[in-house]
Amino acid sequence: MADVYFIGAGPGDPELLTVKGRRLIGEADLVLYAGSLVPAEVVAGAKDGAQVADSAPMSLEETHALMAETVASGGMVARVHTGDPSLYGAIREQMALLDADGITCEVVPGVTAGFAAAAAARRSYTVPEVTQTLIFTRLEGKTPVPEGEALRGLAAHGSAMCIYLSAGDPEGVQRELLAGGLAGSTLVVMAYRVGWPEEKVVETELDSLAQAARGNGFTRQTVFLVLPGQGREDAGKARSLLYDKDFRHMYRA
């Protein structure tokens, strides 16, 4: 058993929490969750007597002190993050402080918004003979992006993309993707608060991305799925060999 578990809560739907994550939340003495993005329903399974605290108004030092205090008293901590903790989860600095204090921790993966959005849109990131690569990234904003990871440079690969933390500047997203060489007709899926009751998924083309985002009020908590080769005119053209009747492999004679 670890002292602290970083748990991916998924994008918002309490039923997208993993079985392991739900169990650990129910066993924890302290359930510390990011209330700005994690619904209270996700941590509703905390046991009687457990301390349930929203970390949204806390600093790194404050969250660490609370976790360390719980562990020092013999308790276990469930540190609940939105989506998957490994993606834009800010867990490195928390684990560094825990390591320095000799507090053990483990990470429990979760469903990230990009995958929940693809599911909600009934879309696949990969298309045979079109793209077999998916890039998770963001537009530069208050948080700088390394020069080699500029959005237009990544767009030049022509692969599928999932763009996080960029809804505040949809014009910038559109501009950079076009500058990277993607066609204006490229399919873009915009998913707002996916997994929440107010979830909304809209499909558009790259040329209309900014207008569609502004028109729908998607200026925060929105991910953009950039899907080359998946427009209406491409539907059904590319098929996987996996279930082709003429494809032979070790499980099919």
Side-chain angles (χ1 to χ4, degrees):
M1 288 286 291
D3 297 317
V4 176
Y5 289 90
F6 290 92
I7 298 170
D13 183 349
E15 292 188 324
L16 288 179
L17 179 65
T18 65
V19 173
K20 184 173 184 178
R22 187 178 301 277
R23 174 179 64 80
L24 290 169
I25 288 171
E27 295 174 358
D29 300 288
L30 167 64
V31 179
L32 185 60
Y33 73 107
S36 57
L37 293 171
V38 176
E41 291 81 2
V42 169
V43 297
K47 67 183 180 181
D48 291 341
Q51 180 181 3
V52 180
D54 180 1
S55 65
M58 300 182 191
S59 67
L60 173 64
E61 292 74 20
E62 289 170 331
T63 61
H64 177 71
L66 194 55
M67 291 191 286
E69 179 183 342
T70 300
V71 173
S73 64
M76 185 266 278
V77 178
R79 178 67 171 107
V80 186
H81 279 259
T82 185
D84 182 90
S86 67
L87 189 61
Y88 304 117
I91 61 172
R92 291 176 65 253
E93 53 265 45
Q94 296 179 75
M95 290 192 291
L97 291 177
L98 294 173
D99 289 343
D101 284 351
I103 298 173
T104 61
C105 63
E106 293 183 13
V107 180
V108 179
V111 178
T112 187
F115 291 136
R122 298 189 302 129
R123 291 287 183 178
S124 168
Y125 283 112
T126 55
V127 179
E129 300 181 38
V130 176
T131 180
Q132 296 291 287
T133 300
L134 169 61
I135 297 174
F136 285 95
T137 190
R138 60 168 299 167
L139 184 69
E140 182 170 76
K142 292 180 180 178
T143 300
V145 170
E147 185 177 346
E149 297 179 12
L151 193 56
R152 68 174 62 192
L154 297 178
H157 292 285
S159 64
M161 305 178 75
C162 184
I163 303 173
Y164 283 67
L165 304 170
S166 304
D169 186 10
E171 292 80 10
V173 174
Q174 178 177 323
R175 180 186 65 249
E176 293 301 299
L177 293 176
L178 289 171
L182 288 176
S185 59
T186 301
L187 175 67
V188 177
V189 174
M190 303 181 294
Y192 168 73
R193 286 179 71 83
V194 63
W196 293 69
E198 58 270 36
E199 170 188 303
K200 189 174 182 181
V201 178
V202 173
E203 293 191 353
T204 187
E205 293 186 344
L206 179 53
D207 273 340
S208 304
L209 184 155
Q211 180 181 4
R214 294 289 185 190
N216 283 281
F218 294 168
T219 56
R220 59 191 298 269
Q221 295 185 334
T222 302
V223 291
F224 300 98
L225 283 53
V226 183
L227 305 172
Q230 294 199 58
R232 293 183 181 87
E233 70 280 2
D234 302 304
K237 286 184 179 180
R239 300 178 63 180
S240 170
L241 289 176
L242 183 58
Y243 298 109
D244 189 291
K245 62 183 177 60
D246 296 321
F247 185 56
R248 298 288 178 259
H249 52 73
M250 63 184 293
Y251 296 105
R252 184 186 301 160

